[in-house]
Structure formats: C-alpha cells, structure tokens
C-alpha cells in the first residue's frame, strides 16, 4: 500500500467514517479505520457493527494536476486505530500526506519533515461489511430529516426494555410519511406529504438517526434504500449502512383523543419560560407542574415538601371549555413546546386524566402528546 | 427579613459568593448562601470553610430613586440553598425581586406575577466567619495575578501527599515578589518588582488562586492582607477570606543550575506544534519526547512498542555548545512553552540528566524548569 493524499480531503473523509466507530469496539479491529487502496480509489470504512460508514476518494485525472488530491502508487489494505489516525492527520502541517506500509502492518505516515511509523492491524481481521445496495432507493431531503431529528427523536425511550421505543418509526403509505417517537409517556408525531412509490414501515435507532443527520448535513438531499433489516443511506461518495430495529412498533394512532373538551391558545415563549422556572422544583429528580386554566389566566405551580413551592400566573390568548386543572411532567412539556418552535401553541385537553395534545396553528405537520400525572394536592 | 432588590445587582453578587460554595459542603448550612439584612445593607456570604466570600450591597440614598437598587423593610437573616437561589434569580423575568421570610425560614421570593416559597435554613446554624481585616494590606494589580495564574499555577501538584506543592508560593523581600509553583518534576517561577513595605512568605492553594482571580477579574487592582494563616483579598464591596497552606515551602532556588553548557534558541510555535504532534504517542498515559540538537537542527522523536514511533526535524535559530540528546515529558514541555507565550524560546541545558531551563529573551520575568527523563533507547 502506498499513496499520497491531500490532508484536507483525507481529514474530511476520516471525520465522516469515525462517527460509526465506538470507543468500546466489539472486536479490536473495529476500533480502527480500514483503509483499502484500489487501482483508482481509496476507500475508508468505520463501523461499530450496528452502524457502518464507508466513503471513497477517487484518484484525480492525470491531466488535471491542480486537483491532484490522490495519487496511488501501490494497492493494499490496512486498519489503523481511529484515535491515532485522526490525531496524526489533524496535527500534520503538510498539505500532502503519504501512507506506505513498510513492514507487514507497520505504516509510514509522512508529511514534510514529519514522519510517524504506526502499528496497524491486518485488514483480513476486519469484519466483512457489505455496502451493496440491491433494493430501489428513494430520495429524502435533508431538511425533512433535520425536522425529524429535532422535533421527534427526543421523545424516544433511552431504556432497552422495549427496543422498538428506542427508535423513530417511519411509516410511508399513500404519499404520506408519518414519523413517530414515543417512550410510552409522551409521543411526537410528524407528517410529510411524499411521493414514494412504495409503502414501508421501519424503525431507525434514535442514535443512528442523528449520526445519519450529521453525515448528510451538508447535502440538500440523500438516498435511502431499505433492504430487509438494514437501511442504506447514500450521498456523494459516502454510504451509511445501519441495522433497523426489528421489534414491532406499537400502534400510536389511538393515543390521540378524537375530540377535545378544552382548548387553550397561549404565547409559546411565555409558557416555556414559566414551566422552565417552575420545573426547578423537583421530586425524585422529576418536576411535576400543575396547570389551572380558565378563560383569562393559566396558573402554573409546583411544590415539594423539602424545597418549597412556586406559583405563577400567565394571560391566555384564548380558552374554550370549562376551567380545568391538570398536571404533567415539566420537562416533557418543555421538550414538546421547544420542538414546535412557533410563536403560539395550542394545548388541547379531554379530561384531567387524558393526554395533553400540543400543536400549533402555524405548523399542522407536528403533534406532541404528553401524558398527565395524577397528583394528590 | 424583608427587602426588594434589583435582579441584576443581586445576580452579580450571588455569582460572586457561590464561587466559594462546594457541591460537597462539609456541613449542610454551607451548601447555602447566607443572607444578612442589616439596617442599611444586605450581606451575602458563601463558603466551603477553606475559602469564604462575602459581598455587601448598600441601600441607595432615598433622594436618588433612579439608583434604587435595594430597599430594606425589615432586618433579619436566612440561608438559602445556593443552587436554588441562583436558579430562581436567574430565571426571574422581573427587574425587581422581593425577599420576605414568612414562617420561620420559609422565604417568599417574588417578582412580577411569579412567586416562590422556599424552605431556607437558620442563619444561626451557619458557621461564624470573621471577615475583619486587622493587618495592614497592600495593593496588587490584577494583571500580575493573571500572569501568576496563567504562567505558574499549572505547575502545582494535584496530589495531597505534599500539601505545600498544591499551592503557589509568594515570597516578598527587598522590593521583589517571587512566585513559585512546582510538583517536584517541574518548576515555574515568576518575578516582579514591587514596592511592598513588608516581607512575607505565603503559599496560596492553586484552586483558591484561580477563584480569587475570577472574583477580581473586572478590577484593575485589589487589596491583599495576610493575617497568621489566612489571606484576605478585598475589592469594592467584596472580601475573600482563604486559608493559607501552613506546610513549609521547599527551597527552589538551588534547582536552577547556575550555568549552562548548551543553549538553544528556537521558534516557540514550531517547537510547540512538533512536541504536541509527537506527544500523542504515550507510554502508560505519559509522553516522553527525545530531543537531539546540534548547530543546525533539532530532532524530536517519540516511540512506544505498541503504537509505533514519530520523528520530526526542526530548524534551530541558534545553538551553542556540543550536540546533546535529552528526553523529557512532552506535556510538561508544552505547558512550559505555552506559559512563556513569546515568539522565540530559549532552552538551556547543563547535561542530559540535569534540568532543562526554558526562558525567553522577550520576557525575563519568567523561568520554567522541566526535569529530564532517563530513557533506554
């Protein structure tokens, strides 16, 4: 193996593939970046076995020396510890870096008057990861993914007891894509109009979703392909392959009440600040805010024997129905209002023990649900 | 107790005194801020028993309503958990906040339509801390303290086995102030010309020094007074009282060799970057860089059986004496060069097993010493 490459191009490619590498690699070779040098390209791969990312750098045309970002002298493969290679390449001052295996897996990395001889690992010990995409793919725009990550993923569960709830469910049918996230106490649901030819129903681990988002962030759109229990995301020269959650996703449609008895419209920022202030009073690490709402005002209060109590009164924009008193998790309410991020929010109720539905007239695509909490004072 | 106060004034005062409060308070009351309301002023106190900070806010003149930042209605004292009071005051939207004890230590904190009732602690249970300064004080400018913190404090030991080494030693004599910090493997020594009437020799805990620095950062100068085993720092309305380290500070003057056999001048940034690059190769978490220097070049190399090796050649500005090969801790060398922060640095040697002295022609006030490390390859 022997090639020279632009530091900038290599560093960008490395930062992409190392996203997949876990500090607790399941096998030693997965702590490294695999470098495959072919006749006309270099392929870098990083993986933690659940998510794998490969990116390829093609050799430039010989008649275009200005763009000469990669020159291959000899093919070959090696695996180099991800921490080491990232640190070496980042700290190199030269614009061009050469890589050469000099004795088995011992790799000479050289730039200007600086040289490192680094003990690599054998490429043959690296798990074989198939990046072949053999199913039709569809396009997704990055803004859509960005909305899903910001507006739904936070509602996923972080407990492994119900694996399905650790991911965001994507359900496509009849030109509609519905994304759901729930930890069983709250639900975030986002709807898009799409033109996908196929129907599908997949659950992508929340952690993976944000790695995908980081990787495609600079592109306007990217390709997705679903193959059995795997998802392939591709953009430019990069392919992400990730496992999907196989457990069946619960039916969330029946969670949202069909009709409401009360509807409150209120300034989102005022409500957010008030709930945030009140939420510092916690019991067992959890804040429970009590809301008492009538035609004119919304009272927000919290209390805890040890700390004390808080009380605040907000003006409402409008309220229909009978006055209601209802309690819920302050942090869940904050997350839901933040995700909506509009000037006004609507809170719809159908009883003290029925879910609170948070929506906005300004963005009908998003519905947030927060379960009430029973209180005894 | 009953007073109203400007949110801004109170918040600034709180952020000052909470610096002294430890998350692991030695007694429960020290997890709180003590509020003492006198006839014409409010005094806030925070302490972890080693370092204590008090700041006072005086009632404004009645005939100047614009500056009406504090209005006292009733005297009294209470202690309120530091985390709670900081969070409440920070999140209040009102400009004026009122405090009133309503039932024993239960304190009503109110601003606009927001009110908190917080369980306080009894002021009588708060340790008595004497802030009376009964010894003459001298002025110190903040830039001097800032230099001491940045250029010497990092060299202190973080191990409690030799308590004296966890602090910076200040020795004033004959119009010279000498500040020393050492962990016994390195030494940082900074000298100032001063006009102090007294001689003194005190050791200030490194952690305390940086808290003092944070507290006085906005002032041009501040007062220091030494009383027995305590140091008092005062500025404006704030007094910091801190214990000094009582253990005798070692004599460091004999550590710096009286003469040198080799002297190297080199670009500081080039050396820093090269040592930083090489230092990623560590053995047992420590990097040892080997330097081989002659009239033209400085070779920097590191090696470790598991990782591999690095090698880099720098040009020197000048070198006098016989070629030398010497090894030392890469991180200590980096800290020393960074502390000097001049364009060129001078490394002076007096043998492979004698300390390396790092200085700069541009700033004669600072001397850094790094012990060599014996290597076997």
């Amino acid at each position: 193996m022997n090639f020279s490459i632009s530091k900038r191009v290599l560093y960008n490619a490395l930062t992409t593939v190392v996203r997949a590498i876990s500090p607790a690699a399941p096998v030693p070779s997965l702590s490294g970046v695999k470098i495959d040098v072919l006749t006309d390209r270099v392929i870098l791969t990083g993986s933690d076995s659940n998510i794998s990312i490969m990116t390829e750098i093609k050799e430039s045309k010989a008649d275009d020396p200005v763009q000469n970002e990669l020159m291959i002298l000899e093919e070959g493969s090696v695996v180099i510890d991800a921490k080491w290679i990232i640190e070496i390449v980042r700290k190199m001052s030269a614009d061009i870096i050469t890589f050469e295996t000099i004795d088995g897996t011992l790799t000479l990395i050289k730039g200007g008057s600086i040289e490192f001889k680094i003990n690599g690992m054998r490429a043959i010990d690296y798990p074989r990861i198939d990046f072949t995409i053999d199913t039709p793919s569809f396009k997704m725009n990055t803004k859509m993914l960005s909305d899903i990550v910001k507006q739904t993923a936070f509602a996923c569960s972080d407990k492994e007891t119900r694996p399905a709830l650790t991911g965001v469910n994507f359900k496509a049918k009849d030109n509609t894509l519905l994304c759901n996230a729930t930890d069983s106490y709250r639900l975030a649901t986002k709807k898009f109009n799409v033109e996908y030819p196929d129907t599908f129903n997949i659950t992508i681990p929340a952690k993976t979703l944000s790695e995908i988002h980081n990787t495609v962030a600079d592109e306007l759109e990217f390709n997705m392909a679903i193959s059995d229990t795997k998802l392939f995301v591709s953009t430019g020269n990069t392919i992400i392959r990730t496992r999907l959650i196989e457990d069946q996703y619960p039916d969330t449609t029946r969670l949202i009440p069909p009709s409401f008895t009360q509807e409150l419209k209120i300034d989102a920022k005022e409500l957010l600040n008030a709930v945030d202030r009140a939420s510092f009073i916690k019991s067992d690490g959890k804040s429970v805010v009590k809301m008492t709402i009538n035609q004119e005002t919304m009272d927000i209060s919290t209390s805890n024997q040890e700390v004390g109590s808080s009380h605040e009164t907000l003006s409402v924009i409008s309220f229909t129905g009978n006055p209601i008193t209802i309690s819920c998790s302050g942090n869940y309410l904050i997350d839901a209002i933040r995700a909506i991020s509009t000037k006004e929010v609507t809170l719809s109720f159908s009883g003290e023990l029925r879910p609170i539905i948070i929506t906005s007239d300004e963005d009908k695509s998003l519905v947030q649900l927060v379960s009430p909490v029973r209180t005894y004072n």
Side-chain angles (χ1 to χ4, degrees), chain A:
Chain A
M1 187 186 90
N2 191 341
F3 67 99
S4 62
I5 189 165
S6 138
K7 175 193 156 156
R8 182 185 50 81
V9 168
L10 177 61
Y11 188 68
N12 287 345
L14 282 171
T15 52
T16 297
V17 301
V18 297
R19 283 203 192 100
I21 298 173
S22 159
V27 296
S29 64
L30 288 184
S31 65
V33 172
K34 182 160 169 256
I35 306 175
D36 289 304
V37 183
L38 312 184
T39 47
D40 63 342
R41 71 193 64 194
V42 169
I43 298 173
L44 302 182
T45 308
S47 174
D48 72 353
S49 85
N50 283 325
I51 178 167
S52 305
I53 305 179
M54 66 141 270
T55 191
E56 64 178 27
I57 304 150
K58 292 205 180 90
E59 202 172 23
S60 351
K61 302 282 177 293
D63 54 355
D64 186 2
V66 183
Q67 294 207 342
N68 226 353
E69 294 176 333
L70 173 65
M71 284 229 330
I72 291 166
L73 296 175
E74 196 191 344
E75 297 166 46
S77 295
V78 76
V79 177
I80 297 181
D81 185 280
K83 288 190 309 293
W84 302 347
I85 192 170
I86 273 278
E87 186 157 355
I88 288 175
V89 173
R90 185 165 58 85
K91 289 185 173 169
M92 280 281 191
S93 53
D95 291 335
I96 299 290
I97 301 177
T98 65
F99 281 74
E100 186 183 353
T101 45
I102 48 176
D103 183 10
T105 57
L106 187 66
T107 306
L108 176 69
I109 306 174
K110 203 171 163 177
S113 75
I114 306 160
E115 57 177 57
F116 289 90
K117 287 176 189 152
I118 297 296
N119 288 318
M121 290 174 273
R122 298 191 309 170
I124 202 170
D125 296 330
Y126 196 87
R128 197 178 167 278
I129 301 164
D130 190 355
F131 285 97
T132 315
I133 303 171
D134 52 11
T135 50
S137 68
F138 53 92
K139 289 208 180 297
M140 186 160 188
N141 80 52
T142 307
K143 173 71 173 68
M144 264 171 72
L145 179 64
S146 181
D147 284 350
I148 296 164
V149 168
K150 281 184 219 150
Q151 300 187 322
T152 72
F154 67 88
C156 290
S157 171
D158 51 9
K159 294 189 184 63
E160 287 294 332
T161 43
R162 288 183 66 188
L165 304 191
T166 63
V168 177
N169 181 251
F170 287 62
K171 192 153 60 181
K173 200 179 164 185
D174 303 336
N175 293 337
T176 298
L177 173 65
L178 202 64
C179 295
N180 276 306
T182 179
D183 62 3
S184 82
Y185 302 104
R186 58 173 162 184
L187 167 72
T189 177
K190 178 89 181 173
K191 196 171 171 177
F192 299 95
N193 296 320
V194 291
E195 290 174 16
Y196 299 155
D198 291 332
T199 64
F200 59 82
N201 184 342
I202 57 171
T203 306
I204 306 177
K207 202 179 144 288
T208 301
L209 205 60
S210 88
E211 296 299 352
I212 295 174
H213 183 232
N214 291 338
T215 306
V216 303
D218 292 338
E219 312 287 330
L220 275 178
E221 57 178 20
F222 57 93
N223 294 304
M224 283 176 89
I226 298 153
S227 164
D228 196 13
T229 61
K230 291 186 295 295
L231 171 74
F232 291 90
V233 171
S234 60
T235 166
N237 301 316
T238 302
I239 301 177
I240 306 172
R241 178 192 128 129
T242 174
R243 78 172 172 92
L244 295 170
I245 297 175
E246 292 178 60
D247 298 55
Q248 203 189 338
Y249 202 79
D251 178 16
T252 55
T253 47
R254 61 191 167 73
L255 292 178
I256 299 173
S259 65
F260 302 106
T261 50
Q262 285 97 345
E263 196 182 78
L264 164 76
K265 287 190 198 302
I266 193 161
D267 184 277
K269 197 163 178 203
E270 278 182 27
L271 178 58
L272 189 66
N273 289 344
V275 176
D276 183 39
R277 267 190 289 270
S279 292
F280 106 90
I281 296 185
K282 292 184 171 66
S283 302
D284 297 330
K286 291 190 181 106
S287 71
V288 172
V289 297
K290 184 161 136 187
M291 300 175 276
T292 302
I293 316 161
N294 62 36
Q295 259 62 26
E296 274 93 43
T297 58
M298 178 178 196
D299 277 12
I300 292 175
S301 61
T302 53
S303 78
N304 168 272
Q305 200 117 41
E306 191 207 341
V307 183
S309 62
S310 83
H311 183 268
E312 174 165 2
T313 305
L314 300 177
S315 305
V316 308
I317 294 171
S318 70
F319 180 74
T320 57
N322 294 326
I324 184 172
T325 295
I326 188 167
S327 298
C328 72
S329 153
N331 291 335
Y332 279 16
L333 196 55
I334 290 171
D335 286 345
I337 303 166
R338 281 214 179 112
I340 290 180
S341 72
T342 55
K343 208 176 159 318
E344 277 179 38
V345 285
T346 304
L347 273 66
S348 305
F349 308 92
S350 45
E352 284 174 28
L353 299 175
R354 301 280 297 143
I356 304 165
I357 304 301
I358 305 133
T359 55
S360 167
D361 291 346
E362 298 163 59
D363 177 6
K364 299 277 191 191
S365 70
L366 183 65
V367 176
Q368 301 279 343
L369 175 155
V370 173
S371 296
V373 173
R374 200 192 286 258
T375 56
Y376 300 95
N377 52 19

